[in-house]
Amino acid sequence: MFATLFFFLPFLVVYTILVVYAERKISAFMQDRLGPMEVGYYGILQTIADLLKLLQKEDIIPTSASKKLFQLAPVLIFVPIFIGFSMLPLSPSWSAPSLSSALYFIFAIMAFDVIGIVIAGWASNNKYSMLGTVRSAAQIISYEIPLTLSVLCACVLTQTLELQEISFQQGTMVNMIQGQSNYLLGIKQLNIDVTLNGGFLTWNVFRMPVLIFAWIIFFIASLAESNRAPFDLPEAESELVAGFQTEYGGFRWAIIMLAEYAMMLLVSFIGVILFWGSWNTPFPNIGSIRLADWTTGSLDTWSVHAWGIFWLVSKTLFMVCLQIWVRWTYPRIRLDQLTSLSWKYLTPASLILIIICALWKLLL
Amino acid sequence: MSYGNLFLYLFMLSAFVSVAAMLFTRTIFFAALSLIVCLLSISGIFALLNAEFLAITQIVIYAGGVLVLILFGIMLTNKISGKPLLMEAHHSIPGMIISIVLFLLLVDAYQKTSFTATESIQLQSNHINHIGTNLMSTYVAPFEVAGLLLLVSLIGAALMASLTKKNNNA
C-alpha cells in the first residue's frame, strides 16, 4: 500500500510524461525528423503543455452513449493495471505485501483489464468503437495464453510465485536469505558455484538459458497485451479512427492513454523481475573486485534501497525503450496474422519450452 | 465488529444487490455487468476467508474469462445486427417449478452441512504449494478427467467452427 501510493503513483505520472516525450523523440529520430522542438529547451516541456491542454478540454459525452458506463470505463481500464503495481517488490528490504500467489494475482488483474475496454467500446455506441473493442478483446484473450505459458517457464525454475522470493534467488543474497546456491548456467555437473559472484551470472536467463526464448515470447505477447504496435489493431487509426477510444476526449482520453503506458511499464517490470534479475546488479564479483557488493549496498541501510530501485527501474525503462523501438520499426499486422501468430506459433512454442525447462530443472 | 467482518458483510450485500440487478434489468449487457460485480464480490468474500487462491481463480476464470466471452458474444450479436438485445420472460410456470425445486435442494444441502470450523491449513506463505501437491497426488484422477473434458470440448469447438466455414464456401 505504502509503496504503491507513495512510489508508484508519482513515478507513473513522471514516467508517462517522460515516455510520451521519449516516444516522440525516438520516433522522430528513426524517421529522420527532429520531433518536438518548440516548448522548452529541446522540446522537453511538450508533454506538459499537452497535458495542460487535455485538462482544459470540455468533457464531452455523446448523446447516444450510455452515460454512466461511458464515464466509468476509463477508470475501469486504469484501476486494474494500477492494482497490479501493488504486488511489485522494489528493493531487497522494500517488498510488496507477502502474497504466495502474487504473480497469479497480477495476471488475474491484467485479464480483468479487458472488461474496461469492452465497457468503453459498448458505452460509446459507435461502430468504430465497437469494431475496435471486438478486435481488442479477441487479441487480449488469445495473447494471454502464450504470455502465461512463458511466465510458467520462469516459474518452473523459481518454484514460487512470490515476486520478492524470485528476486532474491537471482542475486548474491540468495545464500543469506534462503540457503540456496546458484551454479553457472544452472548446470550442477559443471560444479562452478556462482552464488557469491552474483551479477548477471545469477539472473534467471543465465540460470536457465532456455528462458531467453521464453522471454522473447513474453515480450511479443506483452506487446499485444498492452495494445502496442505492431499489435495496435484495436486502435488502428488508418481504419478505425481510434478504435475503442474514438468517442473519448480530454481528461478521460488522457486516463486511457495513461493506462496504456502504465500497462507497458507493468509488463516490463514483470519481465525484468522474472527474467532479467529484478533489482539485482548486473556486475558480478570478480575475485577481490567486489563489483556486485559495491553496487548492491548493504542490507538495512538506505544504500540498498537506492541501488535496488535504481537497477530495477533502469532495466524496466530499457524494456520500455525496446517496446518503443519495436513500435516504430514494424508495420501493423493483419487480424488473421495476429491470431495465427498467437495460436500456431507462440502457443505451441511456449508449450515446448515448458517441457524443455522442466527437463532442464529435473536433469541438470 | 472488526473491519474484516464489516467488509465481509459489504461484499455479501453487493453480491446480493448485483444478483437482484441482474435478474431485474432488461438490457442483457447490464445483466452481464452485474454478474461481473457479483462474481467479484464473491471473490472478495473468498479473499477475506483466507482462500486467496480461490479468490484469484474466481477472477481469472469467471470475471476475466467467461464473462469477457459472454460480453463479446453480446456485442457481436447486439450492435452489429442493430437490434438491442432485451430480456423477456418466457415459460414462467416451468421456470417457477424449477426454481422452487432448486431452492428446496439448496436449503436441504444447507441443513445437512455442518458449519463447524474445519481444520484449516495454517496461514503459511506456501499454501499454493499444498494445492499443487494435492492436485497432482490425492486428487489427480478428477484433475486429469477435467483436463480431458476440456481438451475434448476444445477439439469439438475447433471442429464445429471449421465445419460451418466449409458449408459457407460450398
Side-chain angles (χ1 to χ4, degrees):
Chain A
M1 182 89 122
F2 180 75
T4 322
L5 283 182
F6 294 96
F7 182 81
F8 281 116
L9 193 58
F11 177 70
L12 205 57
V13 174
V14 175
Y15 148 85
T16 311
I17 289 172
L18 287 178
V19 161
V20 172
Y21 175 72
E23 176 138 39
R24 286 170 165 182
K25 276 293 182 194
I26 293 174
S27 70
F29 295 151
M30 290 177 81
Q31 295 164 348
D32 206 9
R33 295 184 285 119
L34 283 174
M37 290 295 282
E38 297 292 329
V39 192
Y41 176 72
Y42 213 61
I44 199 149
L45 296 176
Q46 183 65 51
T47 327
I48 295 172
D50 286 346
L51 200 66
L52 287 177
K53 188 196 81 173
L54 281 174
L55 286 175
Q56 289 171 12
K57 282 200 167 184
E58 188 191 344
D59 183 22
I60 297 172
I61 298 167
T63 15
S64 60
S66 74
K67 195 163 175 253
K68 289 266 164 52
L69 288 179
F70 185 84
Q71 290 172 320
L72 188 69
V75 182
L76 281 183
I77 296 174
F78 178 69
V79 165
I81 300 172
F82 187 60
I83 294 176
F85 281 100
S86 66
M87 288 294 143
L88 301 177
L90 276 171
S91 76
S93 41
W94 191 353
S95 54
S98 150
L99 187 65
S100 64
S101 38
L103 197 59
Y104 190 40
F105 179 74
I106 290 179
F107 280 94
I109 286 294
M110 271 160 64
F112 196 70
D113 180 50
V114 67
I115 287 176
I117 293 178
V118 168
I119 292 175
W122 191 86
S124 299
N125 210 352
N126 170 317
K127 280 219 169 75
Y128 292 122
S129 307
M130 191 50 56
L131 286 169
T133 310
V134 169
R135 284 183 181 188
S136 168
Q139 171 178 326
I140 293 182
I141 294 171
S142 53
Y143 273 86
E144 234 147 52
I145 294 160
L147 187 76
T148 319
L149 288 176
S150 59
V151 166
L152 267 184
C153 293
C155 293
V156 167
L157 173 65
T158 60
Q159 303 203 315
T160 174
L161 295 178
E162 202 179 332
L163 293 172
Q164 184 70 310
E165 216 172 310
I166 294 174
S167 308
F168 270 118
Q169 285 176 4
Q170 303 179 58
T172 44
M173 282 176 225
V174 62
N175 214 6
M176 210 190 316
I177 307 287
Q178 292 172 329
Q180 294 176 1
S181 301
N182 284 318
Y183 293 93
L184 187 66
L185 302 181
I187 307 176
K188 285 192 188 108
Q189 281 82 344
L190 288 178
N191 213 4
I192 307 171
D193 192 335
V194 289
T195 315
L196 296 174
N197 293 75
F200 67 87
L201 293 170
T202 48
W203 289 2
N204 272 347
V205 280
F206 286 91
R207 289 167 72 202
M208 190 189 274
V210 196
L211 281 183
I212 204 147
F213 299 106
W215 176 76
I216 292 172
I217 292 175
F218 177 86
F219 185 71
I220 296 173
S222 67
L223 286 177
E225 196 75 3
S226 42
N227 285 340
R228 294 280 297 178
F231 303 100
D232 62 343
L233 293 102
E235 42 183 282
E237 57 270 18
S238 44
E239 339 162 7
L240 288 183
V241 190
F244 67 88
Q245 56 201 8
T246 305
E247 295 290 349
Y248 283 90
F251 193 61
R252 294 186 202 284
W253 180 81
I255 294 180
I256 293 179
M257 287 318 280
L258 180 67
E260 183 183 320
Y261 282 96
M263 188 68 161
M264 279 167 73
L265 186 71
L266 181 64
V267 290
S268 305
F269 262 121
I270 298 171
V272 165
I273 290 172
L274 285 177
F275 299 100
W276 298 99
S278 193
W279 34 250
N280 288 297
T281 162
F283 303 115
N285 288 327
I286 309 163
S288 58
I289 307 169
R290 317 294 296 169
L291 281 177
D293 294 345
W294 295 336
T295 51
T296 302
S298 46
L299 272 177
D300 303 321
T301 57
W302 62 270
S303 61
V304 80
H305 286 305
W307 281 114
I309 292 172
F310 171 72
W311 289 122
L312 183 63
V313 166
S314 41
K315 283 184 225 173
T316 307
L317 290 182
F318 178 73
M319 295 292 163
V320 172
C321 286
L322 270 186
Q323 289 181 329
I324 294 175
W325 180 23
V326 167
R327 171 170 177 176
W328 295 99
T329 307
Y330 292 103
R332 180 182 307 136
I333 62 175
R334 276 199 323 263
L335 192 63
D336 60 318
Q337 292 169 332
L338 175 99
T339 38
S340 76
L341 176 67
S342 167
W343 292 107
K344 290 185 187 161
Y345 299 99
L346 293 183
T347 309
S350 46
L351 282 172
I352 292 169
L353 273 177
I354 289 189
I355 296 172
I356 295 176
C357 287
L359 287 177
W360 188 291
K361 180 84 184 171
L362 282 176
L363 300 178
L364 297 173
Chain B
M1 193 161 65
S2 67
Y3 282 117
N5 273 338
L6 184 68
F7 278 110
L8 197 62
Y9 287 121
L10 275 180
F11 278 130
M12 284 174 181
L13 186 72
S14 80
F16 177 75
V17 170
S18 54
V19 162
M22 184 187 84
L23 288 177
F24 291 111
T25 183
R26 291 282 308 257
T27 322
I28 213 162
F29 188 80
F30 291 133
L33 289 186
S34 359
L35 188 55
I36 293 178
V37 177
C38 170
L39 291 169
L40 284 183
S41 323
I42 292 174
S43 107
I45 294 173
F46 283 147
L48 285 178
L49 296 176
N50 294 329
E52 66 180 44
F53 186 78
L54 205 56
I56 299 170
T57 309
Q58 173 97 358
I59 299 177
V60 171
I61 293 178
Y62 290 105
V66 175
L67 256 295
V68 171
L69 285 181
I70 290 177
L71 287 178
F72 198 57
I74 292 172
M75 280 200 321
L76 280 178
T77 46
N78 182 8
K79 292 276 163 137
I80 290 172
S81 70
K83 278 178 275 177
L85 275 181
L86 293 177
M87 288 204 280
E88 291 162 43
H90 294 298
H91 311 294
S92 48
I93 295 168
M96 217 176 279
I97 295 169
I98 290 175
S99 48
I100 289 170
V101 170
L102 197 62
F103 179 72
L104 290 177
L105 266 176
L106 284 176
V107 168
D108 189 48
Y110 180 81
Q111 280 172 341
K112 278 179 184 163
T113 317
S114 65
F115 285 97
T116 49
T118 47
E119 189 193 342
S120 61
I121 300 173
Q122 286 299 309
L123 274 180
Q124 44 200 336
S125 59
N126 60 349
H127 86 238
I128 195 168
N129 297 16
H130 283 275
I131 296 171
T133 323
N134 276 322
L135 267 186
M136 292 313 288
S137 55
T138 322
Y139 303 104
V140 69
F143 181 74
E144 293 292 337
V145 169
L148 199 67
L149 196 66
L150 286 173
L151 184 68
V152 167
S153 52
L154 194 69
I155 294 172
L159 190 71
M160 277 166 72
S162 65
L163 276 181
T164 29
K165 203 177 176 187
K166 269 179 201 155
N167 287 346
N168 285 346
N169 288 344

